[in-house]
Amino acid sequence: MEDNANNGEQREIGPIENAWSMKTPKFTPEDNPHGLLEESKFATLFPKYREQYLKECWPLVQRVLKEHHIIAELDLIEGSLTVKTTRKTWDPYIIIKARDLMKLLSRSVPFEQAVRVLDDEIGSDIIKINSYVRKKETFLKRRQRLIGPNGVTLKSIELLTECYVLVQGNTVSAVGPYKGLVQVRRIVEDTMKNIHPMYNIKSLMIKRELMKDPKLKDESWDRFLPKFKSKNVPRKQPKNKVKKKPYTPFPPPQPESKIDRELATGEYFLKDEQKKAKHLHDKDEKQMQAKKAREEKRKKDFIPPEEKVIVACKPSEESSINIDQFKAKMKKVSKQNKSLTKK
């Protein structure tokens, strides 16, 4: 009997095939009749543009948190949201849920969606996306890719993961079941790593269809899921590439000055009149060379092309011999034909 009881305990404690299907047991006031001994407190800052909305919905926030014996305070001067427990608070984890509620409200999540965090089966996740990309232009493109045209991509992610997703500034806020939050985080991180969200959306759709088939329960689904490879897209290379010179620890030789060049040629010792005459002579020579080059270029159009000479072929001796042999053959054949006709 004891062995059977131990086996039953092992079955209950043993590994579970699908942990996501397990439901969290409900925590009631009877489980903690004495309440909490210490006071816990959390504060969250909010931006200035959220002030008007928070003032409107704050009575609703206080009413919801009052059911769980949590005090909520709104400080408009400092721009902070504060939640703290009381002596009547019986749930030790509700303060963490209330803190997440304040964070979501400060991140522009509407009150109707943010209140869902207080349920046991619902969680929240705030994903920072600004650290994945350095350039602002690429960051904005990938963030827009996550939203999609007219928010279609974001809506499809919400339908597949059963989570509310909000892209705001440098963060992505998600509210929903814990399994869906894991999927949302993976999609968001892959998108910021330059993997299009449609790949992950497609794989989630295929998995949802495969779960309906009991035959594929114990089989691997890798053959059904799409496989994507990262491609190295060639970048535009500059037209004029700067070739790096080989590194040498020694400095380059000092270039010769104008005086050094004149000393080497002996021009330094000439008089001013002689220098001017030499300069004019060099200038005239350059002009003459340029003039000759221009004239040659103009004359090229008037030079006639070389004509090909056609050489007439003379009849060779071999060809005449072949003709004579052919005539002899023809005579022989005609004689044979005559003899046959007479017979």
Side-chain angles (χ1 to χ4, degrees), residues 71-135:
I71 297 169
E73 294 175 358
L74 173 65
D75 192 345
L76 297 173
I77 298 165
E78 290 184 1
S80 65
L81 306 170
T82 310
V83 285
K84 56 185 177 182
T85 57
T86 59
R87 291 287 295 169
K88 292 182 181 180
T89 309
W90 47 269
D91 189 353
Y93 194 69
I94 196 66
I95 188 65
I96 304 296
K97 293 275 189 180
R99 180 200 65 182
D100 293 343
L101 172 63
M102 297 298 112
K103 281 185 178 180
L104 291 169
L105 287 171
S106 65
R107 292 307 308 163
S108 299
V109 177
F111 171 74
E112 293 78 12
Q113 296 292 339
V115 174
R116 293 171 59 206
V117 184
L118 299 174
D119 297 338
D120 290 336
E121 301 294 331
I122 303 296
S124 67
D125 193 7
I126 296 171
I127 308 154
K128 289 185 179 180
I129 56 174
N130 60 339
S131 59
Y132 288 96
V133 186
R134 287 183 182 179
K135 291 183 180 180

Side-chain angles (χ1 to χ4, degrees), residues 198-244:
M198 285 310 298
Y199 290 110
N200 287 311
I201 289 166
K202 194 175 181 181
S203 62
L204 285 173
M205 289 170 73
I206 292 164
K207 281 178 184 177
R208 179 176 279 192
E209 292 298 320
L210 291 170
M211 284 170 72
K212 296 175 184 177
D213 193 352
K215 295 177 183 177
L216 299 169
K217 188 180 179 182
D218 300 324
E219 292 184 18
S220 178
W221 293 351
D222 292 338
R223 57 199 172 106
F224 300 108
L225 299 175
K227 294 176 183 178
F228 48 89
K229 295 178 182 179
S230 59
K231 295 179 181 178
N232 291 326
V233 181
R235 294 181 181 177
K236 287 183 179 179
Q237 295 184 355
K239 292 179 180 178
N240 301 324
K241 285 187 178 180
V242 179
K243 290 184 179 179
K244 288 186 178 180

